[in-house]
Amino acid sequence: KKSFQGPFKACHDVVKPKDFYRNCLYDVCMSDGAKKILCQVLEAYAATCKKHGAVVHDWRTPSGCRKPRSSSWV
């Protein structure tokens, strides 16, 4: 979030990350840092970005979030 660089860079002007970031921070803190929650929020942001035509680069590798096996979503 600090530098707004990385895989979501092209999306930040299209879909503001502020609400996603706040929700993620709250949800992860309330679940004792559950990585599953973090991955779900990142998936939702990636899907929203793509829906609005923004290019999203590989976010799964740096975040350590695996792609769901049975889904072609995001």
Side-chain angles (χ1 to χ4, degrees):
K1 180 181 181 296
K2 273 186 181 178
S3 66
F4 286 104
Q5 300 299 314
F8 296 105
K9 182 181 178 183
C11 185
H12 294 317
D13 288 334
V14 178
V15 178
K16 300 296 180 197
K18 186 177 180 179
D19 289 336
F20 285 89
Y21 177 75
R22 274 194 205 150
N23 290 338
C24 180
L25 187 61
Y26 177 81
D27 292 345
V28 169
C29 287
M30 293 305 291
S31 61
D32 294 323
K35 187 165 193 153
K36 182 179 178 182
I37 302 292
L38 171 65
C39 294
Q40 289 172 348
V41 172
L42 291 175
E43 281 186 71
Y45 188 60
T48 303
C49 291
K50 288 179 180 183
K51 181 179 172 184
H52 285 87
V55 174
V56 177
H57 297 281
D58 176 30
W59 58 272
R60 291 185 184 278
T61 300
S63 66
C65 296
R66 290 184 177 167
K67 189 170 185 174
R69 290 181 187 212
S70 63
S71 176
S72 60
W73 202 67
V74 187

